[in-house]
Each structure stands twice: as structure tokens, then as C-alpha cells.
Amino acid sequence: MKALLMLLPLTLASCMAGPDAATRAATAPQADAAVTISSTTLSRQHWQLRDAVDGSNRRLDALLGLPDKPLQLDFSADRISVSNACNRISGSYRIVEGHLVTTQLLQTRMACADPTLTQRDTTITTVLQGGPTLILSSAGHTPLLTLADANGRTLTFAGMPAADAHPGDDGDTAPQQP
């Protein structure tokens, strides 16, 4: 009987830990092992900002102003460039364990009266230089690229096919959308 009483606290503790662990597992984002992000995959698209939220999941409206000129990222084999901000921003990059690692970004030094463009400069530079996690997903037939930084900001870009992209040139075997 003493042995049973001594096991009771351990049994209760394991029962109490179970639901929390199950809840965490159910809510944790699942990575798609089949999706590999490479410079070739990124260079196939012009990535235009679709959504932006801060660490409290509040929409960053300042980044989404000027819907006719969305903030845009373009990638080549080793360069990233940002358009539709106040200044032209570019630099070298590489992908390291699912994170975007950039060199010191270069930018023009124009003064902008438009606060939306100025905010775009500040935010995208901060996010890019912070080594954000890269998440590739899709919404229907539209590829999405999300940059998630350590402060909880997430910037989601929708892919628009680049004119000079060639499907399958990096050995991808994924079916191409018509």
C-alpha cells in the first residue's frame, strides 16, 4: 500500500503534464520537410508585401500604405534588393539553417516626405539585418514568403512570377502551375 501511495504523486504529475504537451504540439507550426528554400526558388518571383504584423499580431498599416506600389523584394543568386521604399536597398545574402543572413545593406540616401516610404525603409532594413526565419507556403496557386524576426514581426510577401525565371533550373521536381 505504501508503494501505491508513493506512486500516486508521480502518476498525477504525468497526467498533468500530458495535456499541456499535447496542446503545445497541436498549436506548434509544422514545417513542411519537402519545402526547401534556395536562392533559385526565391529568384523565380518578385515578392510583394501582402501582410505585415508586429509581435502582438497588430497589423503594420504604415508598411501597407500605397497599395499600387507594394514593398517588393527581389533575389538573385546572391543579392537581395528592395524596391518601393523611400530608398533603393540592396546587399548580399545567404540562407543559413532556414534564416536569411544579409551583409550590411547598402541604400541610397534620398529624403522622403511620405511617412509610409520612410517607415518601409526602417522596418525592412531592421527585419532583413536581423536574420529572419524564412517560411515558404502558398495560398491557392500564389507562393508566399514570410520573414519572421526575433521581435515577432512577420512580413508576408506574395510571389509574382519574374519574367526571367526558368522553372526547374535548380532541379526542383515540383509541378509548375499553368
Side-chain angles (χ1 to χ4, degrees), residues 94-102 124-135 146-150 153 155:
R94 56 195 163 96
I95 300 168
V96 179
E97 297 179 3
H99 293 267
L100 182 69
V101 178
T102 62
I124 195 62
T125 300
T126 302
V127 170
L128 290 175
Q129 292 191 318
T133 300
L134 297 173
I135 303 162
T146 300
L147 306 179
D149 76 5
R153 273 184 296 230
L155 307 181

mmCIF file of all heavy atoms in Angstrom, residues 94-102 124-135 146-150 153 155:
data_model
loop_
_atom_site.group_PDB
_atom_site.id
_atom_site.type_symbol
_atom_site.label_atom_id
_atom_site.label_comp_id
_atom_site.label_asym_id
_atom_site.label_seq_id
_atom_site.Cartn_x
_atom_site.Cartn_y
_atom_site.Cartn_z
ATOM 1 N N ARG A 94 22.671 35.102 -47.886
ATOM 2 C CA ARG A 94 22.739 33.649 -47.992
ATOM 3 C C ARG A 94 21.678 33.094 -47.063
ATOM 4 O O ARG A 94 21.165 33.795 -46.183
ATOM 5 C CB ARG A 94 24.127 33.118 -47.686
ATOM 6 C CG ARG A 94 24.696 33.495 -46.383
ATOM 7 C CD ARG A 94 26.208 33.226 -46.306
ATOM 8 N NE ARG A 94 26.744 33.970 -45.201
ATOM 9 C CZ ARG A 94 26.943 33.473 -43.985
ATOM 10 N NH1 ARG A 94 26.721 32.225 -43.739
ATOM 11 N NH2 ARG A 94 27.394 34.222 -43.022
ATOM 12 N N ILE A 95 21.352 31.832 -47.269
ATOM 13 C CA ILE A 95 20.362 31.167 -46.439
ATOM 14 C C ILE A 95 21.112 30.186 -45.545
ATOM 15 O O ILE A 95 21.826 29.314 -46.042
ATOM 16 C CB ILE A 95 19.311 30.441 -47.296
ATOM 17 C CG1 ILE A 95 18.607 31.463 -48.191
ATOM 18 C CG2 ILE A 95 18.320 29.687 -46.414
ATOM 19 C CD1 ILE A 95 17.761 30.855 -49.286
ATOM 20 N N VAL A 96 20.973 30.354 -44.235
ATOM 21 C CA VAL A 96 21.672 29.517 -43.259
ATOM 22 C C VAL A 96 20.635 28.926 -42.307
ATOM 23 O O VAL A 96 20.003 29.670 -41.544
ATOM 24 C CB VAL A 96 22.724 30.326 -42.467
ATOM 25 C CG1 VAL A 96 23.413 29.450 -41.440
ATOM 26 C CG2 VAL A 96 23.736 30.972 -43.401
ATOM 27 N N GLU A 97 20.462 27.620 -42.378
ATOM 28 C CA GLU A 97 19.540 26.901 -41.497
ATOM 29 C C GLU A 97 18.170 27.568 -41.426
ATOM 30 O O GLU A 97 17.611 27.782 -40.346
ATOM 31 C CB GLU A 97 20.145 26.736 -40.109
ATOM 32 C CG GLU A 97 21.404 25.893 -40.111
ATOM 33 C CD GLU A 97 22.033 25.734 -38.733
ATOM 34 O OE1 GLU A 97 21.479 26.233 -37.735
ATOM 35 O OE2 GLU A 97 23.099 25.095 -38.679
ATOM 36 N N GLY A 98 17.616 27.922 -42.594
ATOM 37 C CA GLY A 98 16.284 28.494 -42.664
ATOM 38 C C GLY A 98 16.184 29.969 -42.337
ATOM 39 O O GLY A 98 15.089 30.511 -42.236
ATOM 40 N N HIS A 99 17.333 30.627 -42.165
ATOM 41 C CA HIS A 99 17.349 32.060 -41.866
ATOM 42 C C HIS A 99 18.005 32.819 -43.014
ATOM 43 O O HIS A 99 18.942 32.327 -43.637
ATOM 44 C CB HIS A 99 18.131 32.351 -40.578
ATOM 45 C CG HIS A 99 17.463 31.810 -39.362
ATOM 46 N ND1 HIS A 99 16.594 32.550 -38.599
ATOM 47 C CD2 HIS A 99 17.518 30.587 -38.785
ATOM 48 C CE1 HIS A 99 16.152 31.806 -37.596
ATOM 49 N NE2 HIS A 99 16.696 30.610 -37.692
ATOM 50 N N LEU A 100 17.517 34.009 -43.248
ATOM 51 C CA LEU A 100 18.106 34.894 -44.238
ATOM 52 C C LEU A 100 19.193 35.710 -43.549
ATOM 53 O O LEU A 100 18.922 36.429 -42.584
ATOM 54 C CB LEU A 100 17.049 35.829 -44.820
ATOM 55 C CG LEU A 100 17.517 36.786 -45.901
ATOM 56 C CD1 LEU A 100 17.847 36.009 -47.169
ATOM 57 C CD2 LEU A 100 16.437 37.818 -46.187
ATOM 58 N N VAL A 101 20.412 35.568 -44.017
ATOM 59 C CA VAL A 101 21.540 36.295 -43.436
ATOM 60 C C VAL A 101 22.049 37.264 -44.503
ATOM 61 O O VAL A 101 22.460 36.837 -45.582
ATOM 62 C CB VAL A 101 22.662 35.325 -43.000
ATOM 63 C CG1 VAL A 101 23.843 36.096 -42.434
ATOM 64 C CG2 VAL A 101 22.129 34.315 -41.985
ATOM 65 N N THR A 102 22.005 38.557 -44.195
ATOM 66 C CA THR A 102 22.447 39.570 -45.152
ATOM 67 C C THR A 102 23.756 40.199 -44.690
ATOM 68 O O THR A 102 24.083 40.190 -43.509
ATOM 69 C CB THR A 102 21.401 40.701 -45.308
ATOM 70 O OG1 THR A 102 21.237 41.360 -44.054
ATOM 71 C CG2 THR A 102 20.075 40.171 -45.804
ATOM 72 N N ILE A 124 11.975 47.337 -43.092
ATOM 73 C CA ILE A 124 12.537 46.255 -43.894
ATOM 74 C C ILE A 124 14.036 46.102 -43.634
ATOM 75 O O ILE A 124 14.551 44.989 -43.584
ATOM 76 C CB ILE A 124 12.226 46.412 -45.406
ATOM 77 C CG1 ILE A 124 12.503 45.094 -46.155
ATOM 78 C CG2 ILE A 124 12.983 47.559 -46.029
ATOM 79 C CD1 ILE A 124 11.669 43.930 -45.733
ATOM 80 N N THR A 125 14.737 47.208 -43.428
ATOM 81 C CA THR A 125 16.169 47.126 -43.125
ATOM 82 C C THR A 125 16.387 46.412 -41.794
ATOM 83 O O THR A 125 17.235 45.530 -41.688
ATOM 84 C CB THR A 125 16.801 48.534 -43.098
ATOM 85 O OG1 THR A 125 16.615 49.138 -44.381
ATOM 86 C CG2 THR A 125 18.275 48.471 -42.795
ATOM 87 N N THR A 126 15.609 46.766 -40.788
ATOM 88 C CA THR A 126 15.723 46.129 -39.476
ATOM 89 C C THR A 126 15.423 44.634 -39.562
ATOM 90 O O THR A 126 16.159 43.810 -39.014
ATOM 91 C CB THR A 126 14.776 46.803 -38.459
ATOM 92 O OG1 THR A 126 15.108 48.191 -38.374
ATOM 93 C CG2 THR A 126 14.878 46.158 -37.094
ATOM 94 N N VAL A 127 14.360 44.281 -40.241
ATOM 95 C CA VAL A 127 13.983 42.864 -40.360
ATOM 96 C C VAL A 127 15.046 42.089 -41.129
ATOM 97 O O VAL A 127 15.491 41.027 -40.690
ATOM 98 C CB VAL A 127 12.590 42.708 -41.015
ATOM 99 C CG1 VAL A 127 12.311 41.249 -41.370
ATOM 100 C CG2 VAL A 127 11.500 43.241 -40.092
ATOM 101 N N LEU A 128 15.475 42.599 -42.268
ATOM 102 C CA LEU A 128 16.464 41.879 -43.085
ATOM 103 C C LEU A 128 17.785 41.699 -42.361
ATOM 104 O O LEU A 128 18.418 40.650 -42.454
ATOM 105 C CB LEU A 128 16.691 42.597 -44.414
ATOM 106 C CG LEU A 128 15.533 42.555 -45.412
ATOM 107 C CD1 LEU A 128 15.854 43.408 -46.632
ATOM 108 C CD2 LEU A 128 15.191 41.135 -45.811
ATOM 109 N N GLN A 129 18.225 42.704 -41.619
ATOM 110 C CA GLN A 129 19.511 42.592 -40.934
ATOM 111 C C GLN A 129 19.421 41.808 -39.635
ATOM 112 O O GLN A 129 20.441 41.488 -39.047
ATOM 113 C CB GLN A 129 20.112 43.977 -40.718
ATOM 114 C CG GLN A 129 20.511 44.586 -42.044
ATOM 115 C CD GLN A 129 21.337 45.832 -41.921
ATOM 116 O OE1 GLN A 129 21.078 46.693 -41.089
ATOM 117 N NE2 GLN A 129 22.341 45.937 -42.766
ATOM 118 N N GLY A 130 18.198 41.430 -39.218
ATOM 119 C CA GLY A 130 18.014 40.651 -38.002
ATOM 120 C C GLY A 130 18.047 39.151 -38.214
ATOM 121 O O GLY A 130 17.777 38.399 -37.283
ATOM 122 N N GLY A 131 18.354 38.688 -39.409
ATOM 123 C CA GLY A 131 18.428 37.242 -39.668
ATOM 124 C C GLY A 131 17.089 36.544 -39.541
ATOM 125 O O GLY A 131 16.979 35.543 -38.838
ATOM 126 N N PRO A 132 16.049 37.036 -40.234
ATOM 127 C CA PRO A 132 14.716 36.460 -40.063
ATOM 128 C C PRO A 132 14.624 35.011 -40.539
ATOM 129 O O PRO A 132 15.361 34.584 -41.427
ATOM 130 C CB PRO A 132 13.838 37.365 -40.931
ATOM 131 C CG PRO A 132 14.755 37.816 -42.019
ATOM 132 C CD PRO A 132 16.083 38.013 -41.321
ATOM 133 N N THR A 133 13.699 34.298 -39.937
ATOM 134 C CA THR A 133 13.365 32.957 -40.393
ATOM 135 C C THR A 133 12.594 33.096 -41.700
ATOM 136 O O THR A 133 11.749 33.980 -41.835
ATOM 137 C CB THR A 133 12.483 32.238 -39.345
ATOM 138 O OG1 THR A 133 13.205 32.158 -38.133
ATOM 139 C CG2 THR A 133 12.084 30.847 -39.803
ATOM 140 N N LEU A 134 12.877 32.225 -42.650
ATOM 141 C CA LEU A 134 12.171 32.206 -43.932
ATOM 142 C C LEU A 134 11.144 31.081 -43.903
ATOM 143 O O LEU A 134 11.473 29.947 -43.567
ATOM 144 C CB LEU A 134 13.144 31.949 -45.082
ATOM 145 C CG LEU A 134 14.223 32.999 -45.308
ATOM 146 C CD1 LEU A 134 15.201 32.511 -46.363
ATOM 147 C CD2 LEU A 134 13.593 34.309 -45.737
ATOM 148 N N ILE A 135 9.913 31.404 -44.272
ATOM 149 C CA ILE A 135 8.848 30.410 -44.327
ATOM 150 C C ILE A 135 8.221 30.505 -45.707
ATOM 151 O O ILE A 135 7.721 31.557 -46.101
ATOM 152 C CB ILE A 135 7.788 30.669 -43.240
ATOM 153 C CG1 ILE A 135 8.444 30.677 -41.858
ATOM 154 C CG2 ILE A 135 6.673 29.627 -43.318
ATOM 155 C CD1 ILE A 135 7.608 31.319 -40.784
ATOM 156 N N THR A 146 7.307 34.340 -46.026
ATOM 157 C CA THR A 146 7.173 35.074 -44.773
ATOM 158 C C THR A 146 8.537 35.220 -44.126
ATOM 159 O O THR A 146 9.297 34.259 -44.041
ATOM 160 C CB THR A 146 6.206 34.347 -43.815
ATOM 161 O OG1 THR A 146 4.925 34.249 -44.451
ATOM 162 C CG2 THR A 146 6.054 35.101 -42.499
ATOM 163 N N LEU A 147 8.835 36.438 -43.713
ATOM 164 C CA LEU A 147 10.036 36.731 -42.940
ATOM 165 C C LEU A 147 9.572 36.963 -41.509
ATOM 166 O O LEU A 147 8.758 37.849 -41.254
ATOM 167 C CB LEU A 147 10.733 37.989 -43.458
ATOM 168 C CG LEU A 147 11.084 38.058 -44.936
ATOM 169 C CD1 LEU A 147 11.754 39.391 -45.257
ATOM 170 C CD2 LEU A 147 11.964 36.913 -45.345
ATOM 171 N N ALA A 148 10.062 36.158 -40.583
ATOM 172 C CA ALA A 148 9.686 36.280 -39.173
ATOM 173 C C ALA A 148 10.928 36.639 -38.369
ATOM 174 O O ALA A 148 11.896 35.886 -38.363
ATOM 175 C CB ALA A 148 9.082 34.969 -38.677
ATOM 176 N N ASP A 149 10.892 37.807 -37.711
ATOM 177 C CA ASP A 149 12.076 38.222 -36.960
ATOM 178 C C ASP A 149 11.972 37.865 -35.478
ATOM 179 O O ASP A 149 10.929 37.409 -35.006
ATOM 180 C CB ASP A 149 12.396 39.703 -37.189
ATOM 181 C CG ASP A 149 11.503 40.681 -36.456
ATOM 182 O OD1 ASP A 149 10.648 40.268 -35.648
ATOM 183 O OD2 ASP A 149 11.672 41.896 -36.669
ATOM 184 N N ALA A 150 13.041 38.076 -34.757
ATOM 185 C CA ALA A 150 13.123 37.706 -33.343
ATOM 186 C C ALA A 150 12.172 38.521 -32.472
ATOM 187 O O ALA A 150 11.836 38.105 -31.366
ATOM 188 C CB ALA A 150 14.555 37.876 -32.840
ATOM 189 N N ARG A 153 7.785 40.225 -35.385
ATOM 190 C CA ARG A 153 7.245 40.807 -36.612
ATOM 191 C C ARG A 153 7.234 39.749 -37.695
ATOM 192 O O ARG A 153 8.197 38.995 -37.837
ATOM 193 C CB ARG A 153 8.105 41.968 -37.103
ATOM 194 C CG ARG A 153 7.764 43.292 -36.516
ATOM 195 C CD ARG A 153 8.619 44.357 -37.149
ATOM 196 N NE ARG A 153 10.003 44.092 -36.800
ATOM 197 C CZ ARG A 153 10.843 44.975 -36.307
ATOM 198 N NH1 ARG A 153 10.460 46.212 -36.142
ATOM 199 N NH2 ARG A 153 12.066 44.655 -36.000
ATOM 200 N N LEU A 155 6.469 39.585 -41.890
ATOM 201 C CA LEU A 155 6.164 40.250 -43.151
ATOM 202 C C LEU A 155 5.917 39.150 -44.169
ATOM 203 O O LEU A 155 6.786 38.307 -44.404
ATOM 204 C CB LEU A 155 7.328 41.131 -43.601
ATOM 205 C CG LEU A 155 7.868 42.154 -42.600
ATOM 206 C CD1 LEU A 155 8.999 42.962 -43.221
ATOM 207 C CD2 LEU A 155 6.773 43.066 -42.097
#
